[in-house]
């Protein structure tokens, strides 16, 4: 497996852009394929996860090509004109790709087979197959509805009203995509709002999506309704930089003394930026400039200066808006003065790895005191550089790999990470981009 080593580095300085948003890139390809005609996408994330989704859509009959100027062109067959894939749809490491594509094929009158890598084949899929079955799809799966599995779509699918049992934008999106191929109105009820890129982009492609908040028995619920069988219009999509990728740079710049960086054109969707609220609460000097809208998503440039951080309590309600950022946030917590407690982290156990466990094991190896209790994680911050000096296993998880490399930049001794090839799923060029800011992240000699 590929290894990288991050060593204590001088101040990080410079102005950079991070790769395109992973969530938005998946949706641009999928909606491009569902709209008959030509959709163009700029700023696309060219990571392995997105290439897996592109491969699955090609197998269904979409033509997807990258042009020499970096623009991606999607020639969509359109909703209802997909063909039965001739082989197994392999979504690699991508939970988003697998779950959204299951929603797409759930209303197509043929059988699609899904698989993925060792990480994806462990992840729970019943959260998607249960509602899709209720809509009429037939699913043949092994225990826990884990991959590999097969879905035979129903042409006569039934619209449903479905309350999400877990706060998951992937599940919501799978149901809304199945709702597109279903006559009538399909509604997803969210007890906790999750990222709304699907809703925003569906509207852009011409679908009718209604969103309303209601208080029922003192609890706020969000109703998201899509009207089925729309005539989707092909579109031009500009993908902003991924705030989840920017978070690694932000924590690195906060942690390495003397750093000052600017990250341009980062997505600022309010349901994605809980990490920046949390880091600012810790005392992080993070500013937003040049706020604007790019298509239907807000963006900004982010300025980050090295700061002394204080431990905080991160409430469970914030978890959906920073769900992918806990690995790198835990690194910031280990440098902060005092205790940081993060609550409501059950979903972290079913990501690309069991992130709760992977964070705890890695931090302990780096000399940081950390405790897992139930769905919470407590990190005893050292108020300065942790010892480091460990080799951490990435556990097939790109965000675990990048989080510990970030920690290595401000540790007393270098941190090695084993299994770094997975970084290419979401952040190709991570080590060289960090290097351009002054970080030392290299392939170790032995
Ligand atoms: C994503 C939703 C989140 C997130 C994932 C991307 C999406 O997963 O962790 O990286 O694009 O919808 P869940 O919906 O399972 O929380």
């Amino acid at each position: 497996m590929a290894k990288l080593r991050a060593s204590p580095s001088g101040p990080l300085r410079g102005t950079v852009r991070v790769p395109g948003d992973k969530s938005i890139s998946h949706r641009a390809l999928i909606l491009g394929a569902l709209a008959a005609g030509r959709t163009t996408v700029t700023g696309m994330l060219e990571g392995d996860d997105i290439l897996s989704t592109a491969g699955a859509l090609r197998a269904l009959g979409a033509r997807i090509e990258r042009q020499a100027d970096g623009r991606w062109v999607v020639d969509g067959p359109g909703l209802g004109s997909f063909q039965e894939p001739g082989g197994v749809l392999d979504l690699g490491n991508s939970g988003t790709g697998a779950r959204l594509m299951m929603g797409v094929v759930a209303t197509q009158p043929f059988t699609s087979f899904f698989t993925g890598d060792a990480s994806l084949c462990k992840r729970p899929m019943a959260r998607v197959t249960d509602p899709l079955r209720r809509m009429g799809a037939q699913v043949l799966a092994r225990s826990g509805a884990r991959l590999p599995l097969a879905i035979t779509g129903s042409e006569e699918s039934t619209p449903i009203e479905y309350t999400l049992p877990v706060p998951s934008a992937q599940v919501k999106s799978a149901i809304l995509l199945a709702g597109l191929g279903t006559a009538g109105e399909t509604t997803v009820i969210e007890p906790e709002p999750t990222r709304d890129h699907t809703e925003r982009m569906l509207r852009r492609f011409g679908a009718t999506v209604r969103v309303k908040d209601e208080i029922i028995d003192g609890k706020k619920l969000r109703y998201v309704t899509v009207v089925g069988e729309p005539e989707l219009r092909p579109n031009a999509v500009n993908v902003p930089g991924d705030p989840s990728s920017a978070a690694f740079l932000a924590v690195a710049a906060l942690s390495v003394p003397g750093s000052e960086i600017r990250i341009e054109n980062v997505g600022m969707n309010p349901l994605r930026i809980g990490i920046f609220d949390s880091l600012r609460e810790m005392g992080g000097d993070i500013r937003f400039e040049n706020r604007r809208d790019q298509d239907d998503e807000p963006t900004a440039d982010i300025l980050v200066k090295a700061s002394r951080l204080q431990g905080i309590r991160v409430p469970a309600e914030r978890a959906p808006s920073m769900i992918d950022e806990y690995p790198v946030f835990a690194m910031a917590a280990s440098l902060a003065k005092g205790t940081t407690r993060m609550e409501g982290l059950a979903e972290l156990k079913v990501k690309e790895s069991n992130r709760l466990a992977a964070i705890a094991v890695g931090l302990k190896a780096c000399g940081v005191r950390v405790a897992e209790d139930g769905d919470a994680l407590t990190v005893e911050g050292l108020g300065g550089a942790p010892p480091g000096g460990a080799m951490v296993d990435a556990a097939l998880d790109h965000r675990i790999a990048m989080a510990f490399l970030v920690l290595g930049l401000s540790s007393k001794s270098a941190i090695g990470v084993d299994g770094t090839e997975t970084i290419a799923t979401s952040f190709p060029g991570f080590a060289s981009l960090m290097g351009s800011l002054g970080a030392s992240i290299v392939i170790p000699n032995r």
Side-chain angles (χ1 to χ4, degrees), residues 22-24 26-27 96 99-100 123 127 167-171 173 194-195 197-198 323-324 347 350-352 355 398-399:
K22 181 154 75 70
S23 295
I24 297 175
H26 279 295
R27 287 153 173 86
T96 310
R99 295 189 175 120
L100 269 55
R123 297 180 66 184
R127 52 181 59 197
S168 167
Q170 294 178 357
V171 178
S173 301
T194 64
R195 65 190 71 194
H197 305 300
T198 304
I323 193 67
D324 289 336
E347 279 296 297
V350 291
K351 293 295 178 186
E352 286 81 332
R355 285 186 177 156
H398 52 134
R399 300 201 202 279

PDB file of all heavy atoms in Angstrom, residues 22-24 26-27 96 99-100 123 127 167-171 173 194-195 197-198 323-324 347 350-352 355 398-399, ligand 1:
ATOM      1  N   LYS A  22     -17.293  17.249  -4.210  1.00  0.00           N
ATOM      2  CA  LYS A  22     -17.590  15.850  -4.559  1.00  0.00           C
ATOM      3  C   LYS A  22     -19.092  15.630  -4.676  1.00  0.00           C
ATOM      4  O   LYS A  22     -19.569  15.029  -5.637  1.00  0.00           O
ATOM      5  CB  LYS A  22     -16.974  14.938  -3.488  1.00  0.00           C
ATOM      6  CG  LYS A  22     -17.191  13.459  -3.723  1.00  0.00           C
ATOM      7  CD  LYS A  22     -16.099  12.637  -3.068  1.00  0.00           C
ATOM      8  CE  LYS A  22     -16.246  12.553  -1.563  1.00  0.00           C
ATOM      9  NZ  LYS A  22     -17.395  11.736  -1.109  1.00  0.00           N
ATOM     10  N   SER A  23     -19.861  16.126  -3.701  1.00  0.00           N
ATOM     11  CA  SER A  23     -21.311  15.912  -3.727  1.00  0.00           C
ATOM     12  C   SER A  23     -21.931  16.530  -4.981  1.00  0.00           C
ATOM     13  O   SER A  23     -22.783  15.924  -5.640  1.00  0.00           O
ATOM     14  CB  SER A  23     -21.959  16.553  -2.497  1.00  0.00           C
ATOM     15  OG  SER A  23     -21.527  15.913  -1.325  1.00  0.00           O
ATOM     16  N   ILE A  24     -21.504  17.748  -5.299  1.00  0.00           N
ATOM     17  CA  ILE A  24     -22.098  18.450  -6.442  1.00  0.00           C
ATOM     18  C   ILE A  24     -21.657  17.799  -7.755  1.00  0.00           C
ATOM     19  O   ILE A  24     -22.444  17.683  -8.702  1.00  0.00           O
ATOM     20  CB  ILE A  24     -21.739  19.956  -6.389  1.00  0.00           C
ATOM     21  CG1 ILE A  24     -22.335  20.584  -5.117  1.00  0.00           C
ATOM     22  CG2 ILE A  24     -22.252  20.692  -7.631  1.00  0.00           C
ATOM     23  CD1 ILE A  24     -21.953  22.040  -4.888  1.00  0.00           C
ATOM     24  N   HIS A  26     -20.998  14.576  -8.316  1.00  0.00           N
ATOM     25  CA  HIS A  26     -21.825  13.376  -8.534  1.00  0.00           C
ATOM     26  C   HIS A  26     -23.185  13.773  -9.126  1.00  0.00           C
ATOM     27  O   HIS A  26     -23.676  13.168 -10.082  1.00  0.00           O
ATOM     28  CB  HIS A  26     -22.137  12.683  -7.199  1.00  0.00           C
ATOM     29  CG  HIS A  26     -21.056  11.807  -6.650  1.00  0.00           C
ATOM     30  ND1 HIS A  26     -20.627  10.665  -7.272  1.00  0.00           N
ATOM     31  CD2 HIS A  26     -20.339  11.886  -5.516  1.00  0.00           C
ATOM     32  CE1 HIS A  26     -19.688  10.079  -6.543  1.00  0.00           C
ATOM     33  NE2 HIS A  26     -19.493  10.810  -5.470  1.00  0.00           N
ATOM     34  N   ARG A  27     -23.778  14.793  -8.506  1.00  0.00           N
ATOM     35  CA  ARG A  27     -25.139  15.174  -8.916  1.00  0.00           C
ATOM     36  C   ARG A  27     -25.154  15.777 -10.313  1.00  0.00           C
ATOM     37  O   ARG A  27     -26.104  15.588 -11.074  1.00  0.00           O
ATOM     38  CB  ARG A  27     -25.727  16.136  -7.881  1.00  0.00           C
ATOM     39  CG  ARG A  27     -26.099  15.383  -6.575  1.00  0.00           C
ATOM     40  CD  ARG A  27     -26.056  16.281  -5.379  1.00  0.00           C
ATOM     41  NE  ARG A  27     -26.549  15.658  -4.156  1.00  0.00           N
ATOM     42  CZ  ARG A  27     -25.810  14.905  -3.321  1.00  0.00           C
ATOM     43  NH1 ARG A  27     -24.541  14.647  -3.588  1.00  0.00           N
ATOM     44  NH2 ARG A  27     -26.356  14.398  -2.220  1.00  0.00           N
ATOM     45  N   THR A  96     -21.709   7.647  -1.955  1.00  0.00           N
ATOM     46  CA  THR A  96     -22.633   8.554  -2.647  1.00  0.00           C
ATOM     47  C   THR A  96     -22.973   7.994  -4.027  1.00  0.00           C
ATOM     48  O   THR A  96     -24.147   7.930  -4.416  1.00  0.00           O
ATOM     49  CB  THR A  96     -22.005   9.957  -2.802  1.00  0.00           C
ATOM     50  OG1 THR A  96     -21.501  10.383  -1.544  1.00  0.00           O
ATOM     51  CG2 THR A  96     -23.020  10.954  -3.302  1.00  0.00           C
ATOM     52  N   ARG A  99     -25.277   4.832  -3.651  1.00  0.00           N
ATOM     53  CA  ARG A  99     -26.642   5.064  -3.159  1.00  0.00           C
ATOM     54  C   ARG A  99     -27.452   5.909  -4.141  1.00  0.00           C
ATOM     55  O   ARG A  99     -28.627   5.635  -4.389  1.00  0.00           O
ATOM     56  CB  ARG A  99     -26.586   5.687  -1.772  1.00  0.00           C
ATOM     57  CG  ARG A  99     -25.971   4.709  -0.749  1.00  0.00           C
ATOM     58  CD  ARG A  99     -26.102   5.216   0.662  1.00  0.00           C
ATOM     59  NE  ARG A  99     -25.617   4.234   1.627  1.00  0.00           N
ATOM     60  CZ  ARG A  99     -24.614   4.440   2.490  1.00  0.00           C
ATOM     61  NH1 ARG A  99     -23.993   5.609   2.516  1.00  0.00           N
ATOM     62  NH2 ARG A  99     -24.258   3.505   3.329  1.00  0.00           N
ATOM     63  N   LEU A 100     -26.841   6.928  -4.715  1.00  0.00           N
ATOM     64  CA  LEU A 100     -27.609   7.748  -5.667  1.00  0.00           C
ATOM     65  C   LEU A 100     -27.951   6.943  -6.922  1.00  0.00           C
ATOM     66  O   LEU A 100     -29.066   7.037  -7.450  1.00  0.00           O
ATOM     67  CB  LEU A 100     -26.835   9.027  -6.034  1.00  0.00           C
ATOM     68  CG  LEU A 100     -27.128  10.247  -5.145  1.00  0.00           C
ATOM     69  CD1 LEU A 100     -26.912   9.986  -3.671  1.00  0.00           C
ATOM     70  CD2 LEU A 100     -26.333  11.467  -5.587  1.00  0.00           C
ATOM     71  N   ARG A 123     -20.562  -1.351   3.966  1.00  0.00           N
ATOM     72  CA  ARG A 123     -21.410  -0.247   4.428  1.00  0.00           C
ATOM     73  C   ARG A 123     -22.902  -0.582   4.304  1.00  0.00           C
ATOM     74  O   ARG A 123     -23.310  -1.318   3.402  1.00  0.00           O
ATOM     75  CB  ARG A 123     -21.049   1.033   3.665  1.00  0.00           C
ATOM     76  CG  ARG A 123     -19.613   1.428   3.956  1.00  0.00           C
ATOM     77  CD  ARG A 123     -19.197   2.679   3.246  1.00  0.00           C
ATOM     78  NE  ARG A 123     -19.927   3.837   3.718  1.00  0.00           N
ATOM     79  CZ  ARG A 123     -19.799   5.052   3.199  1.00  0.00           C
ATOM     80  NH1 ARG A 123     -18.984   5.245   2.170  1.00  0.00           N
ATOM     81  NH2 ARG A 123     -20.481   6.051   3.685  1.00  0.00           N
ATOM     82  N   ARG A 127     -30.697   1.199   4.355  1.00  0.00           N
ATOM     83  CA  ARG A 127     -31.277   2.540   4.487  1.00  0.00           C
ATOM     84  C   ARG A 127     -31.767   3.080   3.141  1.00  0.00           C
ATOM     85  O   ARG A 127     -32.647   3.939   3.095  1.00  0.00           O
ATOM     86  CB  ARG A 127     -30.228   3.482   5.104  1.00  0.00           C
ATOM     87  CG  ARG A 127     -28.918   3.455   4.371  1.00  0.00           C
ATOM     88  CD  ARG A 127     -27.850   4.350   4.980  1.00  0.00           C
ATOM     89  NE  ARG A 127     -27.525   4.036   6.345  1.00  0.00           N
ATOM     90  CZ  ARG A 127     -26.866   4.867   7.173  1.00  0.00           C
ATOM     91  NH1 ARG A 127     -26.448   6.045   6.728  1.00  0.00           N
ATOM     92  NH2 ARG A 127     -26.603   4.531   8.395  1.00  0.00           N
ATOM     93  N   PRO A 167     -30.033  10.768   9.566  1.00  0.00           N
ATOM     94  CA  PRO A 167     -29.857  12.005   8.792  1.00  0.00           C
ATOM     95  C   PRO A 167     -28.864  11.767   7.659  1.00  0.00           C
ATOM     96  O   PRO A 167     -27.664  11.777   7.871  1.00  0.00           O
ATOM     97  CB  PRO A 167     -29.281  12.988   9.830  1.00  0.00           C
ATOM     98  CG  PRO A 167     -28.643  12.129  10.876  1.00  0.00           C
ATOM     99  CD  PRO A 167     -29.334  10.804  10.857  1.00  0.00           C
ATOM    100  N   SER A 168     -29.372  11.516   6.453  1.00  0.00           N
ATOM    101  CA  SER A 168     -28.483  11.166   5.342  1.00  0.00           C
ATOM    102  C   SER A 168     -28.958  11.802   4.047  1.00  0.00           C
ATOM    103  O   SER A 168     -30.041  11.503   3.549  1.00  0.00           O
ATOM    104  CB  SER A 168     -28.424   9.645   5.171  1.00  0.00           C
ATOM    105  OG  SER A 168     -27.826   9.338   3.933  1.00  0.00           O
ATOM    106  N   ALA A 169     -28.089  12.656   3.483  1.00  0.00           N
ATOM    107  CA  ALA A 169     -28.403  13.273   2.189  1.00  0.00           C
ATOM    108  C   ALA A 169     -28.350  12.235   1.077  1.00  0.00           C
ATOM    109  O   ALA A 169     -29.022  12.381   0.056  1.00  0.00           O
ATOM    110  CB  ALA A 169     -27.413  14.389   1.900  1.00  0.00           C
ATOM    111  N   GLN A 170     -27.562  11.186   1.293  1.00  0.00           N
ATOM    112  CA  GLN A 170     -27.497  10.148   0.262  1.00  0.00           C
ATOM    113  C   GLN A 170     -28.828   9.414   0.167  1.00  0.00           C
ATOM    114  O   GLN A 170     -29.328   9.143  -0.927  1.00  0.00           O
ATOM    115  CB  GLN A 170     -26.370   9.159   0.583  1.00  0.00           C
ATOM    116  CG  GLN A 170     -24.996   9.797   0.499  1.00  0.00           C
ATOM    117  CD  GLN A 170     -23.872   8.852   0.855  1.00  0.00           C
ATOM    118  OE1 GLN A 170     -24.108   7.697   1.224  1.00  0.00           O
ATOM    119  NE2 GLN A 170     -22.648   9.333   0.745  1.00  0.00           N
ATOM    120  N   VAL A 171     -29.411   9.095   1.317  1.00  0.00           N
ATOM    121  CA  VAL A 171     -30.696   8.388   1.307  1.00  0.00           C
ATOM    122  C   VAL A 171     -31.785   9.311   0.740  1.00  0.00           C
ATOM    123  O   VAL A 171     -32.571   8.912  -0.134  1.00  0.00           O
ATOM    124  CB  VAL A 171     -31.059   7.899   2.722  1.00  0.00           C
ATOM    125  CG1 VAL A 171     -32.419   7.215   2.713  1.00  0.00           C
ATOM    126  CG2 VAL A 171     -29.990   6.946   3.248  1.00  0.00           C
ATOM    127  N   SER A 173     -31.428  11.724  -1.303  1.00  0.00           N
ATOM    128  CA  SER A 173     -31.223  11.922  -2.743  1.00  0.00           C
ATOM    129  C   SER A 173     -31.623  10.690  -3.540  1.00  0.00           C
ATOM    130  O   SER A 173     -32.204  10.813  -4.628  1.00  0.00           O
ATOM    131  CB  SER A 173     -29.766  12.263  -3.017  1.00  0.00           C
ATOM    132  OG  SER A 173     -29.405  13.432  -2.311  1.00  0.00           O
ATOM    133  N   THR A 194     -30.242  17.873   6.016  1.00  0.00           N
ATOM    134  CA  THR A 194     -28.929  17.473   5.495  1.00  0.00           C
ATOM    135  C   THR A 194     -28.670  18.243   4.206  1.00  0.00           C
ATOM    136  O   THR A 194     -29.584  18.874   3.661  1.00  0.00           O
ATOM    137  CB  THR A 194     -28.885  15.969   5.176  1.00  0.00           C
ATOM    138  OG1 THR A 194     -29.826  15.700   4.132  1.00  0.00           O
ATOM    139  CG2 THR A 194     -29.211  15.124   6.397  1.00  0.00           C
ATOM    140  N   ARG A 195     -27.449  18.161   3.711  1.00  0.00           N
ATOM    141  CA  ARG A 195     -27.054  18.936   2.523  1.00  0.00           C
ATOM    142  C   ARG A 195     -28.118  18.849   1.432  1.00  0.00           C
ATOM    143  O   ARG A 195     -28.671  17.763   1.176  1.00  0.00           O
ATOM    144  CB  ARG A 195     -25.678  18.479   2.013  1.00  0.00           C
ATOM    145  CG  ARG A 195     -25.632  17.072   1.511  1.00  0.00           C
ATOM    146  CD  ARG A 195     -24.207  16.609   1.242  1.00  0.00           C
ATOM    147  NE  ARG A 195     -23.490  16.419   2.490  1.00  0.00           N
ATOM    148  CZ  ARG A 195     -22.175  16.270   2.598  1.00  0.00           C
ATOM    149  NH1 ARG A 195     -21.410  16.262   1.524  1.00  0.00           N
ATOM    150  NH2 ARG A 195     -21.605  16.099   3.767  1.00  0.00           N
ATOM    151  N   HIS A 197     -27.907  19.753  -1.939  1.00  0.00           N
ATOM    152  CA  HIS A 197     -27.419  19.957  -3.308  1.00  0.00           C
ATOM    153  C   HIS A 197     -28.373  19.338  -4.336  1.00  0.00           C
ATOM    154  O   HIS A 197     -28.533  19.873  -5.427  1.00  0.00           O
ATOM    155  CB  HIS A 197     -26.031  19.336  -3.488  1.00  0.00           C
ATOM    156  CG  HIS A 197     -25.018  19.819  -2.507  1.00  0.00           C
ATOM    157  ND1 HIS A 197     -24.664  21.140  -2.395  1.00  0.00           N
ATOM    158  CD2 HIS A 197     -24.261  19.157  -1.596  1.00  0.00           C
ATOM    159  CE1 HIS A 197     -23.729  21.260  -1.458  1.00  0.00           C
ATOM    160  NE2 HIS A 197     -23.476  20.072  -0.954  1.00  0.00           N
ATOM    161  N   THR A 198     -28.971  18.191  -4.000  1.00  0.00           N
ATOM    162  CA  THR A 198     -29.861  17.538  -4.969  1.00  0.00           C
ATOM    163  C   THR A 198     -31.066  18.426  -5.261  1.00  0.00           C
ATOM    164  O   THR A 198     -31.435  18.631  -6.424  1.00  0.00           O
ATOM    165  CB  THR A 198     -30.324  16.166  -4.426  1.00  0.00           C
ATOM    166  OG1 THR A 198     -29.172  15.401  -4.115  1.00  0.00           O
ATOM    167  CG2 THR A 198     -31.172  15.413  -5.439  1.00  0.00           C
ATOM    168  N   ILE A 323     -20.373  16.510   8.966  1.00  0.00           N
ATOM    169  CA  ILE A 323     -20.212  15.070   9.174  1.00  0.00           C
ATOM    170  C   ILE A 323     -18.884  14.526   8.623  1.00  0.00           C
ATOM    171  O   ILE A 323     -18.268  13.664   9.236  1.00  0.00           O
ATOM    172  CB  ILE A 323     -21.431  14.297   8.603  1.00  0.00           C
ATOM    173  CG1 ILE A 323     -21.435  12.863   9.094  1.00  0.00           C
ATOM    174  CG2 ILE A 323     -21.527  14.380   7.089  1.00  0.00           C
ATOM    175  CD1 ILE A 323     -21.680  12.694  10.553  1.00  0.00           C
ATOM    176  N   ASP A 324     -18.429  15.050   7.491  1.00  0.00           N
ATOM    177  CA  ASP A 324     -17.191  14.526   6.902  1.00  0.00           C
ATOM    178  C   ASP A 324     -15.944  15.180   7.491  1.00  0.00           C
ATOM    179  O   ASP A 324     -14.825  14.776   7.171  1.00  0.00           O
ATOM    180  CB  ASP A 324     -17.192  14.757   5.387  1.00  0.00           C
ATOM    181  CG  ASP A 324     -18.197  13.852   4.693  1.00  0.00           C
ATOM    182  OD1 ASP A 324     -18.529  12.795   5.244  1.00  0.00           O
ATOM    183  OD2 ASP A 324     -18.660  14.227   3.598  1.00  0.00           O
ATOM    184  N   GLU A 347     -23.289   8.238  12.984  1.00  0.00           N
ATOM    185  CA  GLU A 347     -23.084   8.030  11.542  1.00  0.00           C
ATOM    186  C   GLU A 347     -21.605   7.894  11.164  1.00  0.00           C
ATOM    187  O   GLU A 347     -21.286   7.361  10.110  1.00  0.00           O
ATOM    188  CB  GLU A 347     -23.731   9.177  10.752  1.00  0.00           C
ATOM    189  CG  GLU A 347     -25.232   9.002  10.566  1.00  0.00           C
ATOM    190  CD  GLU A 347     -25.565   7.770   9.731  1.00  0.00           C
ATOM    191  OE1 GLU A 347     -25.176   7.719   8.557  1.00  0.00           O
ATOM    192  OE2 GLU A 347     -26.203   6.848  10.264  1.00  0.00           O
ATOM    193  N   VAL A 350     -20.244   4.428  10.182  1.00  0.00           N
ATOM    194  CA  VAL A 350     -20.574   3.731   8.924  1.00  0.00           C
ATOM    195  C   VAL A 350     -20.140   4.534   7.702  1.00  0.00           C
ATOM    196  O   VAL A 350     -20.767   4.477   6.650  1.00  0.00           O
ATOM    197  CB  VAL A 350     -22.087   3.378   8.857  1.00  0.00           C
ATOM    198  CG1 VAL A 350     -22.424   2.307   9.870  1.00  0.00           C
ATOM    199  CG2 VAL A 350     -22.970   4.610   9.052  1.00  0.00           C
ATOM    200  N   LYS A 351     -19.067   5.270   7.850  1.00  0.00           N
ATOM    201  CA  LYS A 351     -18.504   5.983   6.693  1.00  0.00           C
ATOM    202  C   LYS A 351     -17.505   5.067   5.987  1.00  0.00           C
ATOM    203  O   LYS A 351     -17.562   3.859   6.158  1.00  0.00           O
ATOM    204  CB  LYS A 351     -17.859   7.294   7.160  1.00  0.00           C
ATOM    205  CG  LYS A 351     -18.875   8.302   7.699  1.00  0.00           C
ATOM    206  CD  LYS A 351     -19.815   8.756   6.602  1.00  0.00           C
ATOM    207  CE  LYS A 351     -20.863   9.725   7.100  1.00  0.00           C
ATOM    208  NZ  LYS A 351     -21.848  10.039   6.061  1.00  0.00           N
ATOM    209  N   GLU A 352     -16.573   5.636   5.224  1.00  0.00           N
ATOM    210  CA  GLU A 352     -15.622   4.813   4.476  1.00  0.00           C
ATOM    211  C   GLU A 352     -14.866   3.866   5.412  1.00  0.00           C
ATOM    212  O   GLU A 352     -14.383   2.817   5.006  1.00  0.00           O
ATOM    213  CB  GLU A 352     -14.650   5.705   3.691  1.00  0.00           C
ATOM    214  CG  GLU A 352     -15.262   6.366   2.458  1.00  0.00           C
ATOM    215  CD  GLU A 352     -16.073   7.622   2.727  1.00  0.00           C
ATOM    216  OE1 GLU A 352     -16.653   7.770   3.837  1.00  0.00           O
ATOM    217  OE2 GLU A 352     -16.148   8.471   1.823  1.00  0.00           O
ATOM    218  N   ARG A 355     -15.031   5.726  11.460  1.00  0.00           N
ATOM    219  CA  ARG A 355     -14.166   6.890  11.699  1.00  0.00           C
ATOM    220  C   ARG A 355     -13.978   7.184  13.177  1.00  0.00           C
ATOM    221  O   ARG A 355     -12.925   7.695  13.571  1.00  0.00           O
ATOM    222  CB  ARG A 355     -14.723   8.129  10.985  1.00  0.00           C
ATOM    223  CG  ARG A 355     -14.477   8.064   9.501  1.00  0.00           C
ATOM    224  CD  ARG A 355     -14.873   9.319   8.761  1.00  0.00           C
ATOM    225  NE  ARG A 355     -14.516   9.153   7.355  1.00  0.00           N
ATOM    226  CZ  ARG A 355     -15.089   9.808   6.356  1.00  0.00           C
ATOM    227  NH1 ARG A 355     -16.059  10.674   6.583  1.00  0.00           N
ATOM    228  NH2 ARG A 355     -14.686   9.598   5.118  1.00  0.00           N
ATOM    229  N   HIS A 398     -10.050   7.979   2.814  1.00  0.00           N
ATOM    230  CA  HIS A 398      -9.322   9.172   2.384  1.00  0.00           C
ATOM    231  C   HIS A 398      -9.245  10.240   3.465  1.00  0.00           C
ATOM    232  O   HIS A 398      -8.224  10.903   3.647  1.00  0.00           O
ATOM    233  CB  HIS A 398      -9.986   9.756   1.123  1.00  0.00           C
ATOM    234  CG  HIS A 398     -11.465   9.990   1.230  1.00  0.00           C
ATOM    235  ND1 HIS A 398     -12.063  11.147   0.819  1.00  0.00           N
ATOM    236  CD2 HIS A 398     -12.482   9.220   1.709  1.00  0.00           C
ATOM    237  CE1 HIS A 398     -13.369  11.067   1.025  1.00  0.00           C
ATOM    238  NE2 HIS A 398     -13.641   9.901   1.568  1.00  0.00           N
ATOM    239  N   ARG A 399     -10.336  10.420   4.215  1.00  0.00           N
ATOM    240  CA  ARG A 399     -10.338  11.519   5.185  1.00  0.00           C
ATOM    241  C   ARG A 399      -9.508  11.188   6.434  1.00  0.00           C
ATOM    242  O   ARG A 399      -8.938  12.077   7.058  1.00  0.00           O
ATOM    243  CB  ARG A 399     -11.760  11.915   5.545  1.00  0.00           C
ATOM    244  CG  ARG A 399     -12.556  12.379   4.330  1.00  0.00           C
ATOM    245  CD  ARG A 399     -13.735  13.232   4.691  1.00  0.00           C
ATOM    246  NE  ARG A 399     -14.740  13.222   3.628  1.00  0.00           N
ATOM    247  CZ  ARG A 399     -14.687  13.963   2.524  1.00  0.00           C
ATOM    248  NH1 ARG A 399     -13.683  14.792   2.328  1.00  0.00           N
ATOM    249  NH2 ARG A 399     -15.639  13.882   1.616  1.00  0.00           N
TER     250      ARG A 399
HETATM  251  C1  LIG B   1     -22.926  12.938   0.873  1.00  0.00           C
HETATM  252  C2  LIG B   1     -23.597  12.809   2.054  1.00  0.00           C
HETATM  253  C3  LIG B   1     -22.955  12.390   3.314  1.00  0.00           C
HETATM  254  C4  LIG B   1     -21.446  12.539   3.257  1.00  0.00           C
HETATM  255  C5  LIG B   1     -20.869  12.025   1.978  1.00  0.00           C
HETATM  256  C6  LIG B   1     -21.462  12.765   0.782  1.00  0.00           C
HETATM  257  C7  LIG B   1     -23.675  13.320  -0.346  1.00  0.00           C
HETATM  258  O1  LIG B   1     -23.254  11.036   3.553  1.00  0.00           O
HETATM  259  O2  LIG B   1     -20.855  11.875   4.350  1.00  0.00           O
HETATM  260  O3  LIG B   1     -19.464  12.181   1.955  1.00  0.00           O
HETATM  261  O4  LIG B   1     -23.046  13.702  -1.353  1.00  0.00           O
HETATM  262  O5  LIG B   1     -24.911  13.246  -0.307  1.00  0.00           O
HETATM  263  P1  LIG B   1     -24.640  10.605   4.284  1.00  0.00           P
HETATM  264  O6  LIG B   1     -25.719  11.070   3.443  1.00  0.00           O
HETATM  265  O7  LIG B   1     -24.602   9.103   4.358  1.00  0.00           O
HETATM  266  O8  LIG B   1     -24.570  11.251   5.622  1.00  0.00           O
END
